[in-house]
Amino acid sequence: MFGKSSYRVIRIGHPLLRKSCRDIVPEECGSKKFGGIIRKMIRTMRAYEGVGLAANQVALDMKLVVMECQSSRRYPDSFDFALEVWINPRILRVSKETVSDWEGCLSIPGYRGIVPRAREVTFEAWTPKGEKVQKTVRGFHARVMQHETDHLIGKVYIDRMPDLKQWVHLETFNKLMHTHVKDRVD
């Protein structure tokens, strides 16, 4: 499963997960190496059945995220969105309205927690083609964007939880939600 075509996701406790990542400079973006990093991150996210992946989760110190939700087994009630690749994403505005819902993380496998997030966010980022984009996303899509941009500043979802009593093992989560969700653990 792993090898040259994908990365291993690092786990909580690795220092890079708690570090603010460096900005990517424009000169990096057009290189063959950078394109390979993006492709490898996408394959890794899909191999782990994730809906998002930040570069520091695969031990790369750079502000790069990939996101995609296509009938996710880890988030079966979520709404789908197409593959997105964002360079140096930065949230500009968040809605006052928040929604509390379950989150998990590829770097913290086997657990879920209730996390409040803004229902809507507006962010700016660069595309791999060098276009600056400003976009507003809502619902689950906004939750994923907030989760991934948190990674880039050294935060994980449990840092956003107001009540750690709502942090549960996946086995308990499945009983509570009447699901059979599994995280990939290697």
Side-chain angles (χ1 to χ4, degrees), residues 35-50:
I37 289 169
I38 291 171
R39 287 188 298 279
K40 207 168 175 179
M41 281 184 61
I42 292 167
R43 284 191 295 269
T44 303
M45 175 183 65
R46 290 173 176 167
Y48 279 84
E49 298 179 343

Side-chain angles (χ1 to χ4, degrees), residues 33-79:
K33 179 181 178 183
F34 190 71
I37 289 169
I38 291 171
R39 287 188 298 279
K40 207 168 175 179
M41 281 184 61
I42 292 167
R43 284 191 295 269
T44 303
M45 175 183 65
R46 290 173 176 167
Y48 279 84
E49 298 179 343
V51 294
L53 184 68
N56 60 334
Q57 289 184 272
V58 292
L60 298 172
D61 180 12
M62 61 177 64
K63 291 184 180 172
L64 174 65
V65 300
V66 297
M67 302 170 29
E68 175 183 53
C69 186
Q70 301 295 323
S71 302
S72 172
R73 287 183 4 170
R74 291 180 74 238
Y75 296 95
D77 296 329
S78 62
F79 292 97

Side-chain angles (χ1 to χ4, degrees), residues 12-21 54 56-57 65 91 103-108 115 117 144-161:
I12 192 71
H14 191 291
L16 200 51
L17 287 174
R18 293 310 201 157
K19 180 181 180 290
S20 189
C21 296
N56 60 334
Q57 289 184 272
V65 300
I91 293 178
E103 280 187 35
C105 181
L106 300 178
S107 292
I108 311 172
V115 183
R117 297 279 188 186
V144 176
M145 175 52 76
Q146 291 168 87
H147 180 107
E148 299 310 326
T149 56
D150 270 357
H151 274 302
L152 300 179
I153 60 170
K155 292 190 177 291
V156 293
Y157 76 93
I158 57 176
D159 299 332
R160 300 282 185 193
M161 292 180 63

Side-chain angles (χ1 to χ4, degrees), residues 18 102 108 111-116 156-169:
R18 293 310 201 157
W102 292 100
I108 311 172
Y111 291 89
R112 295 291 185 277
I114 298 284
V115 183
V156 293
Y157 76 93
I158 57 176
D159 299 332
R160 300 282 185 193
M161 292 180 63
D163 184 359
L164 286 177
K165 292 177 186 166
Q166 296 177 319
W167 191 46
V168 300
H169 190 272

Side-chain angles (χ1 to χ4, degrees), residues 93-110:
R93 288 182 299 282
V94 299
S95 64
K96 289 182 181 177
E97 184 181 4
T98 61
V99 177
S100 292
D101 205 352
W102 292 100
E103 280 187 35
C105 181
L106 300 178
S107 292
I108 311 172

Side-chain angles (χ1 to χ4, degrees), residues 102-140:
W102 292 100
E103 280 187 35
C105 181
L106 300 178
S107 292
I108 311 172
Y111 291 89
R112 295 291 185 277
I114 298 284
V115 183
R117 297 279 188 186
R119 182 180 294 279
E120 180 179 290
V121 298
T122 300
F123 69 94
E124 71 177 12
W126 293 89
T127 70
K129 293 182 179 180
E131 301 161 329
K132 190 173 186 178
V133 174
Q134 190 173 102
K135 185 174 179 177
T136 299
V137 292
R138 294 165 190 78
F140 186 69

